[in-house]
Each structure stands twice: as C-alpha cells, then as structure tokens.
Amino acid sequence: MQNHFDVVVIGGGPAGLSAALILGRSRRSVLVVDSGEPRNAPAAGAHNYLGREGVAPRELHRIGRQEVVSYGVAVTDGRIVAASATPTDGPDAVAFSVTLDSGRRVTARRLVVASGAVDVLPDVPGLAEQWGRGVVHCPFCHGWEVRDQRIGVLVTSPTGPHHALMFRALSDRVTAFVADPDLVDATARAGFAARGITVRDERVARVESDAGRLTGVRLGSGEVVALDALAASSTAEPRVEHLDGLGLAVEDFVVDGFRFGGTLPVDGTGQTSVRGVYAAGNVTTPMATVIASAAAGTQTGAAVHGDLVRADLAAALAAVPAGQPTR
Ligand SMILES: Cc1cc2nc3c(=O)[nH]c(=O)nc-3n(C[C@H](O)[C@H](O)[C@H](O)COP(=O)(O)OP(=O)(O)OC[C@H]3O[C@@H](n4cnc5c(N)ncnc54)[C@H](O)[C@@H]3O)c2cc1C
C-alpha cells in the first residue's frame, strides 16, 4: 500500500474532490481521505450546481470520486484523526504526516484541508430532526422548493429580519418568530409591515412534525402555528479538530457583529497560516455553496501544483553538479 503522496486531501466533498481532480490531471500522486458526512447530506438535492441541478449530494460525491480515480487519484473511506508537520532542509521545507482512524499513517509534501463545516443548530426540540428538509436555512438552496408555502422564520440573530425578507421574495405567507425583541428594531418592523410579513413576538418551544413531515411550530404559550416550512440559521463551525497538531489559526466568522461560526483563513491561493497546508470550501468560507466550494478546490489544487513545480525545480537545480553548465 502506497503511504507517501505529493498531496493528501482531507475531505472528499465538492472542494476536496475538485482539488484532487486538477492535481490528478497534473500527474501528482494524491490521496483523498473522506469520512462520508457531507454538510448537505440531509437535503434531497443540491441546487444551483450548473449541469447537475438538483443532484443528490451523495450522488455528486460518487460521480466526483469516479472522475478523480480515473486520473490515478487514490480515494479511501476514513477519517484523519491527527496531522503533524516536520521542517526539512530540502526544497519542500516541510514534510507532513497524517493518521487515519484505521491507524494507517501517510506522509505528504502538501496538505489540502477540505473537511467542510458542521452546523450547530438552534436549541429547539424537534428542529434537528427536520434540518435540511422541513427546516431550511438558505433561500438559494431550498427557496424554490418552499415557494408560495406557509414559511416561518426563526429570528435568532441581527440578520434574522433580512432572512425573513429573503423568504418573503419566495412566498407571501411568511411569519417571523421573534424570541428577543432587541433583534428587530423599529426600522425592521416597518419593513415587515410594508412587505406583509406577520410578526409573532413569541418563543418557539418546539417544531412539530407528523409522519416525518413538518407541520408547524408550538409557541411557549402552547399555541400551534401551522406551517409548511421553517427557516432557521445555524452556526457553521469548521471541521478542524483533527488538525490540532498543525497549529492552524482559526478565526470567528462574524456578520453584523454576530458570530455565525468560524473559518480557517487562507490567502488568495488557498494557503493557510501554516506553509504547505492549503484549504478550500466550507472550512474556509461557511457561506460557500457547492459550486463555489468546488471552484475554490480547483483554484487551490492548481496553486498546490504550482508550489510543487517550484519545489521540484529547486530540487533539480540543487542536484546539478557544481560547475556544470545549466544550458
Ligand atoms: C441542509 C443543507 C443544504 C444545502 N443545500 C445546498 C444546495 O442546495 N446548494 C448549494 O450550493 N449548497 C448547499 N448547501 C451548502 C453545501 O453543503 C456546501 O456548500 C458544501 O457541502 C461545501 O463543500 P465542502 O467540500 O467544503 O464540504 P462538504 O461537502 O461538507 O465535504 C466535506 C467532507 O469532508 C469530510 N471530512 C470531515 N472531516 C474529515 C476528516 N477529519 N477526515 C476525513 N474526512 C473528513 C466530510 O465527511 C465530508 O464528506 C447546503 C448546506 C446545508 C447544511
């Protein structure tokens, strides 16, 4: 079994597989390790992916795997549980080692972190069971599917009013549930009134379902409001727990002064704060859609190849005997 690669890609979602695809086509030796838990797994289809509109998330992964394997990329099911970097004197400057949950250890010249994000959901009983189906978060991902329906919007952050207006563009039957009146100022209330959004200043105590289908919300008072869909925001945390050994910097992802999760910052090439460790997709940008994550993976894979080309050139030049003409 091969245990040294040019590049190990951590995560085989749209970002990781796109990085692997361009690296495989550049004749790099690549291993993709994927634990098989894509962020959008609960959803029936991934929307706004041109050419594969509505494709089931796991089907997109299956197709992507087939495509990268056809260029010699190795893909394995598993989870990276540890990673470390060792400085070297050579042109690569650093050597990486990763450990899989099977105990297998693999070394690489570069790492691409494409492990995505995990959604931390509002603490409302019954909500998690409907996440990605009756409970939606993104008007672009699921809005068309709930158009013209009775949509509730859980206002839990300062961006909640804007969220409600986004769903109002899809249906004229929108109700905003506001647990904390401080989140909705007079301007936002005037906007709700102008756009015909019903406001309920009450806490949602439970999401109600029947036979797996969302039927409404139960308020703190016990009243049940019938709905077809509920929009709610999550906090998206980057999946980086396996990278502690690399000392990567993780930052808060803040919108309108409210923390919506975290990000692994990268520069324009996908390079993280640790030389030789690149990242792409939701781990760096929680708002990135599937096609944006795939695009970031492609750009990052190209940058990694360019980085390795420079290292290969430095190694070749260093190997030229002293005094030998170089042309
Ligand atoms: C409910 C829901 C529905 C959505 N619907 C849409 C939609 O319709 N259209 C759209 O454009 N976007 C949608 N999104 C956003 C979409 O999920 C992301 O844009 C996309 O998943 C990001 O791709 P990624 O490759 O960065 O991460 P992911 O797709 O999450 O892939 C990351 C992969 O890395 C693996 N992984 C994690 N940790 C490790 C580890 N330690 N070792 C090995 N593997 C690991 C995971 O198992 C996973 O397979 C939706 C999001 C949610 C929550």
Side-chain angles (χ1 to χ4, degrees):
M1 189 186 291
Q2 184 181 347
N3 277 326
H4 178 74
F5 294 85
D6 287 331
V7 185
V8 168
V9 179
I10 305 173
L17 289 174
S18 298
L21 183 60
I22 198 166
L23 284 161
R25 285 176 48 78
S26 304
R27 308 203 68 186
R28 291 295 170 190
S29 63
V30 182
L31 173 68
V32 178
V33 183
D34 184 41
S35 58
E37 302 151 333
R39 184 179 174 200
N40 54 349
H47 297 282
N48 300 310
Y49 197 93
L50 192 64
R52 292 277 180 184
E53 168 53 26
V55 63
R58 290 190 192 282
E59 175 65 359
L60 187 62
H61 283 213
R62 190 192 63 75
I63 295 165
R65 277 192 180 206
Q66 267 184 355
E67 289 175 348
V68 302
V69 166
S70 75
Y71 291 106
V73 170
V75 181
T76 188
D77 292 324
R79 184 183 303 278
I80 301 284
V81 292
S84 61
T86 310
T88 65
D89 291 336
D92 276 341
V94 64
F96 296 100
S97 172
V98 296
T99 307
L100 281 71
D101 51 358
S102 62
R104 180 181 173 193
R105 286 191 66 190
V106 177
T107 55
R109 299 171 66 192
R110 299 288 182 272
L111 294 182
V112 174
V113 181
S115 41
V118 65
D119 290 289
V120 180
L121 305 180
D123 186 16
V124 178
L127 187 147
E129 292 86 328
Q130 286 290 338
W131 179 247
R133 298 180 299 121
V135 175
V136 299
H137 73 299
C138 164
F140 303 110
C141 303
H142 313 280
W144 175 264
E145 284 62 42
V146 300
R147 69 193 183 283
D148 293 331
Q149 296 186 4
R150 295 167 301 179
I151 306 172
V153 180
L154 215 53
V155 177
T156 52
S157 77
T159 62
H162 181 67
H163 209 201
L165 289 169
M166 296 286 274
F167 279 95
R168 174 62 185 84
L170 297 154
S171 171
D172 58 10
R173 295 189 287 167
V174 172
T175 303
F177 296 94
V178 182
D180 177 357
D182 287 349
L183 295 172
V184 184
D185 62 17
T187 307
R189 284 181 192 274
F192 282 169
R195 290 293 281 138
I197 295 173
T198 306
V199 184
R200 299 294 303 262
D201 285 294
E202 280 171 89
R203 186 177 62 83
V204 169
R206 175 166 195 86
V207 173
E208 297 286 341
S209 301
D210 184 27
R213 197 175 62 80
L214 182 144
T215 53
V217 293
R218 183 177 296 274
L219 303 179
S221 62
E223 179 192 353
V224 173
V225 179
L227 295 171
D228 302 304
L230 179 69
S233 297
S234 66
T235 305
E237 303 293 352
R239 304 177 83 170
V240 290
E241 60 286 351
H242 52 290
L243 302 175
D244 285 352
L246 295 176
L248 287 163
V250 176
E251 291 180 356
D252 287 341
F253 177 63
V254 176
V255 181
D256 288 347
F258 190 84
R259 185 181 180 278
F260 275 96
T263 70
L264 190 57
V266 289
D267 69 12
T269 69
Q271 166 81 56
T272 67
S273 57
V274 174
R275 193 190 176 316
V277 180
Y278 291 76
N282 274 177
V283 76
T284 72
T285 317
M287 305 279 258
T289 60
V290 173
I291 206 160
S293 301
T298 302
Q299 287 175 338
T300 301
V304 170
H305 178 58
D307 185 1
L308 289 172
V309 164
R310 285 187 290 278
D312 292 342
L313 173 63
L317 289 172
V320 175
Q324 180 175 310
T326 51
R327 70 175 182 88

